[in-house]
Amino acid sequence: QVQLVESGGGLVQAGGSLRLSCAASGRISSINGMGWYRQAPGKQREVVATITSGGITNYSDSVKGRFTISRDNAKNTVYLQMNSLKPEDTAVYYCNAAVYSGILSFGIYWGQGTQVTVSS
């Protein structure tokens, strides 16, 4: 089994910064793609940023230039540095990971979510 544990959420004023972390643990042989998603009240979950095992990144247009995704493969951890935060960034943020646990064993795993609230 694989677990993803997020940390770093909280309350911040508009224009401020937060850094989210997500550490994967358990039966892990390797991790392919990792990503951050968010879900605001009354809205569907949306992708924020993704990163491949080789470090190729992709961002939603709404966060491009403000957020940076990175990962530490040795620690099985993905980060999301969020700068110039806006009230519309308020949401529960989830990380996910595509994990190989052994030969022919592959799964997509999600963290429990961490709340980010940006006040105006």
Side-chain angles (χ1 to χ4, degrees):
Q1 188 64 291
V2 175
Q3 298 83 36
L4 300 183
V5 178
E6 298 130 338
S7 61
L11 173 64
V12 65
Q13 287 188 332
S17 298
L18 284 174
R19 188 190 193 214
L20 306 183
S21 300
C22 173
S25 63
R27 290 190 61 212
I28 300 172
S29 293
S30 63
I31 300 178
N32 196 356
M34 304 184 82
W36 288 96
Y37 294 71
R38 67 186 181 187
Q39 187 166 18
K43 296 187 177 181
Q44 289 189 332
R45 189 173 298 188
E46 62 175 1
V47 62
V48 175
T50 60
I51 185 168
T52 68
S53 57
I56 297 172
T57 59
N58 196 24
Y59 298 91
S60 69
D61 288 343
S62 62
V63 307
K64 204 170 293 183
R66 300 187 297 122
F67 291 10
T68 302
I69 188 171
S70 61
R71 64 189 283 173
D72 184 333
N73 291 330
K75 295 181 179 180
N76 292 330
T77 299
V78 63
Y79 306 95
L80 185 68
Q81 178 65 45
M82 306 185 292
N83 298 328
S84 302
L85 282 160
K86 305 175 181 179
E88 50 264 44
D89 294 318
T90 296
V92 178
Y93 284 70
Y94 300 89
C95 66
N96 90 340
V99 179
Y100 290 91
S101 297
I103 298 174
L104 302 180
S105 179
F106 174 82
I108 304 293
Y109 298 90
W110 291 87
Q112 80 285 358
T114 185
Q115 177 70 47
V116 171
T117 303
V118 184
S119 64
S120 57

